[in-house]
Amino acid sequence: TLENRSVEAVGRMLKALEKRGEEGERGERVVVMTGAGISTSAGIPDFRSPTTGLYANLARLNLPYAEAVFDIAYFRNNPLPFYTLAQELYPGKYRPTITHSFIRLLHDKGILLKLFTQNIDCLEREAGVPGDKIVEAHGSFARQSCIECKTAYPEQGMKDAIREKRVPRCVDKACNGLVKPEIVFFGEQLPAEFFANRDLPTQAHLCIVMGTSLSVQPFAGLPALCREETPRVLLNMEQVGGIGSRPDDVLVLGDCDAGVRKLAEAAGWLEELEALWART
Ligand code: CNA
């Protein structure tokens, strides 16, 4: 168990896991769960922050309700608001944050079991976390297809459409369905890889949750799958998802970049982390 539910105790645990890995025991025991809050300092707005979030700034799109921009039923009738927003969110414009580099460091130390992310910005990949360590629970901009017949659509065509705020149509002219990036909209099923990996939290020895309001199911149910004795650390502006209710939960409330620096400091990794991030 963790002494005092403190950051120092989590730091000692990280070090111990690293040491076990070095001694040839399985050290890959940390699961990380992330959301839009880990990318806000990169310049990408989240959904729900009160004044800076996307939902607070969607008035110009004339939506009936804010979530409509990511709702598959709404998209069928009016895809243009999504394509207006996609221009801002499309990967390639932003630099990973030190929080993304912290996840990479966990992998470099041989202790990352899996990263579950709700983000579609691909910044974890850009920070160097390998694809087989990432579950993109809400999909990503990496692929695009017709929403009717599922036929794949070429990447360059999507890039052009997004740049021109134009709605692309199925390459099969007879179908002519709407095309969208394979990011998961409200009303759509999560990717198979989410369900294939969703029991991994039960194997974790440490769970780190960062930058998410934990308000979208089924992702929001992941931290509860951790065993009672597995410490869950929350690095977030606000307390969410009932984390804090178990004896070994640790709350590091505030900016997650500051939070990961505290964790890294406690594990003796701060210099290494700063150097890794500076190279990213
Ligand atoms: P959300 O509901 O907007 O919640 C964000 C959470 O992060 C809130 O609890 C904030 O308080 C917190 N937060 C914001 N900034 C910071 C910070 N600097 N440090 C610590 N905490 C912070 O976003 P969720 O990810 O929980 O919601 C799920 C949606 C949002 C997913 O489906 C994503 O696809 C979607 N989304 C993704 C991106 C992206 O890829 N970067 C951007 C916007 C929305």
Side-chain angles (χ1 to χ4, degrees):
T1 56
L2 277 187
E3 299 142 59
N4 309 323
R5 303 163 67 140
S6 65
V7 171
E8 287 66 34
V10 178
R12 280 193 291 277
M13 199 171 170
L14 287 170
K15 261 216 229 47
L17 286 169
E18 179 188 14
K19 192 151 175 283
R20 278 176 51 175
E22 285 165 2
E23 287 167 357
E25 257 186 273
R26 223 176 128 208
E28 295 171 324
R29 294 295 186 189
V30 184
V31 288
V32 178
M33 299 162 189
T34 60
I38 71 163
S39 296
T40 52
S41 74
I44 308 174
D46 65 5
F47 276 178
R48 295 177 183 82
S49 280
T51 51
T52 54
L54 282 175
Y55 288 161
N57 290 290
L58 286 177
R60 64 200 159 92
L61 297 182
N62 286 323
L63 297 162
Y65 54 99
E67 283 90 344
V69 71
F70 294 109
D71 187 301
I72 193 66
Y74 183 83
F75 180 85
R76 272 208 165 80
N77 292 321
N78 188 7
L80 205 54
F82 168 74
Y83 276 97
T84 306
L85 196 61
Q87 200 182 44
E88 287 168 42
L89 293 181
Y90 199 74
K93 291 197 276 192
Y94 304 95
R95 177 181 173 224
T97 68
I98 196 162
T99 298
H100 295 95
S101 290
F102 179 75
I103 306 168
R104 156 81 186 271
L105 186 63
L106 294 175
H107 170 68
D108 288 354
K109 298 280 183 192
I111 67 176
L112 181 67
L113 180 60
K114 206 65 108 177
L115 162 69
F116 292 86
T117 183
Q118 297 167 92
N119 293 348
I120 50 177
D121 55 32
C122 298
L123 287 185
E124 297 96 344
R125 282 172 196 269
E126 278 179 44
V129 182
D132 65 357
K133 287 283 171 180
I134 308 176
V135 175
E136 284 166 336
H138 293 169
S140 80
F141 278 98
R143 282 182 300 273
Q144 46 281 322
S145 55
C146 170
I147 64 168
E148 307 300 343
C149 71
K150 312 294 173 204
T151 302
Y153 190 81
E155 186 178 329
Q156 191 55 48
M158 178 55 74
K159 281 189 181 151
D160 295 344
I162 287 177
R163 196 181 53 244
E164 295 156 18
K165 290 189 191 171
R166 179 170 50 72
V167 182
R169 292 274 176 176
C170 187
V171 288
D172 177 351
K173 292 276 177 292
C175 170
N176 199 38
L178 295 167
V179 168
K180 87 171 189 29
E182 291 186 1
I183 57 179
V184 179
F185 277 30
F186 296 112
E188 287 191 304
Q189 184 69 263
L190 273 61
E193 65 164 340
F194 175 80
F195 298 100
N197 288 286
R198 81 179 295 181
D199 70 324
L200 283 179
T202 63
Q203 299 169 27
H205 290 191
L206 180 66
C207 170
I208 302 177
V209 180
M210 308 192 277
T212 171
S213 62
L214 284 180
S215 52
V216 181
Q217 292 292 356
F219 191 99
L222 291 174
L225 298 178
C226 293
R227 287 170 296 168
E228 277 291 320
E229 65 269 27
T230 298
R232 302 180 304 175
V233 187
L234 177 70
L235 290 84
N236 209 50
M237 287 296 188
E238 46 174 354
Q239 189 176 358
V240 296
I243 302 183
S245 61
R246 294 184 182 174
D248 284 338
D249 287 349
V250 179
L251 300 178
V252 186
L253 298 186
D255 173 49
C256 57
D257 292 342
V260 299
R261 284 188 165 104
K262 278 188 213 159
L263 275 189
E265 169 98 77
W269 301 342
L270 185 55
E271 268 181 49
E272 209 177 332
L273 175 63
E274 296 282 2
L276 177 63
W277 184 48
R279 289 198 302 273
T280 302

